[in-house]
Amino acid sequence: MHAESCSGCDLLAMLAGDAFADQCRQKSLVELFGYAKTSVTSDTVCEATATYPHPEIHPSLAAAKELLVRYMAQRMSTENDLFFNGPEIVKAFLTGKLGHLEHEVFSVLFLDNSHRVLAYEILFRGTINACHVQVREVVKMALQYNAAAIILAHNHPSKSDIPSASDIAVTRKLTSALEVVDIKVLDHIIVAGNLTASMQEMGMM
């Protein structure tokens, strides 16, 4: 049986068993992978639980999601000119890393001269709707990786993908500070659940 011809329920059954697939028949994949609050509640749903990324996610689904995120990370580390040739890969990777989180974090993709990923780091963590970004620490880490460019990213637990005034301000501060050491800020991507917003594409930088 080819996976492409299977229904979503069939694929769930392959990963986690028939009983789980039947229990979750009414759930969307967005809910099952932790990007949205569950709309169908039951004490029997997802009895086999995992702590990543949410306790209601079946461990097999968490493992499948993590494998996909790691595949994207490996691809980003080998593909030339990733920013221009594969922006959707970057967005999908960041969604996998940040979309399910219920507190705000600020992360950075450090890139080489060919825009391949050298490293991904979560640098700052905050409360449910705030994260204090220290410009000096971002510059320090970029120099440590000898990065030629970076992509900024953070999540909005509120699930709004609209950049805030503080998002714009911190982007400008970082861009100015990194210009001094000849490191380019290519984009600042906001992750809101399963949605992403690129400040570069929106003409905000």
Side-chain angles (χ1 to χ4, degrees):
M1 180 183 295
H2 293 290
E4 294 88 345
S5 63
C6 294
S7 67
C9 192
D10 289 337
L11 292 171
L12 281 176
M14 290 179 192
L15 283 171
D18 292 335
F20 174 83
D22 188 59
Q23 290 170 355
C24 296
R25 188 177 296 275
Q26 300 303 315
K27 289 178 176 285
S28 69
L29 293 177
V30 174
E31 292 170 325
L32 288 174
F33 281 98
Y35 296 118
K37 296 293 185 182
T38 179
S39 59
V40 179
T41 58
S42 169
D43 292 337
T44 62
V45 170
C46 306
E47 292 177 354
T49 61
T51 57
Y52 169 79
H54 281 312
E56 64 267 22
I57 290 183
H58 192 283
S60 294
L61 296 188
K65 175 176 175 286
E66 180 63 17
L67 280 172
L68 179 59
V69 170
R70 293 186 186 188
Y71 153 74
M72 289 185 286
Q74 288 184 8
R75 182 174 174 185
M76 289 191 300
S77 68
T78 58
E79 184 170 323
N80 286 328
D81 218 0
L82 174 71
F83 178 71
F84 296 103
N85 293 330
E88 296 309 314
I89 302 172
V90 176
K91 292 177 183 178
F93 171 79
L94 292 170
T95 300
K97 283 291 189 181
L98 305 176
H100 60 277
L101 299 178
E102 295 182 350
H103 60 282
E104 189 167 319
V105 302
F106 185 92
S107 63
V108 181
L109 282 163
F110 299 94
L111 313 177
D112 66 11
N113 283 316
S114 297
H115 295 162
R116 292 173 297 202
V117 173
L118 297 168
Y120 169 79
E121 296 277 1
I122 291 179
L123 298 185
F124 309 107
R125 291 174 170 82
T127 60
I128 191 169
N129 61 356
C131 184
H132 181 62
V133 176
Q134 300 177 37
V135 174
R136 180 179 178 180
E137 289 302 311
V138 177
V139 175
K140 179 180 176 181
M141 190 68 72
L143 291 172
Q144 180 178 316
Y145 281 113
N146 195 28
I150 66 171
I151 297 173
L152 309 172
H154 79 282
N155 65 311
H156 282 179
S158 65
K159 300 300 187 286
S160 169
D161 62 348
I162 300 173
S164 67
S166 61
D167 295 338
I168 297 169
V170 75
T171 303
R172 290 174 177 170
K173 286 182 181 179
L174 285 168
T175 299
S176 297
L178 286 158
E179 278 180 352
V180 175
V181 290
D182 200 26
I183 298 173
K184 186 173 179 59
V185 178
L186 298 179
D187 203 349
H188 187 165
I189 295 175
I190 295 165
V191 179
N194 64 325
L195 303 175
T196 59
S198 161
M199 290 179 63
Q200 191 273 339
E201 291 177 355
M202 297 171 75
M204 294 184 172
M205 54 183 302

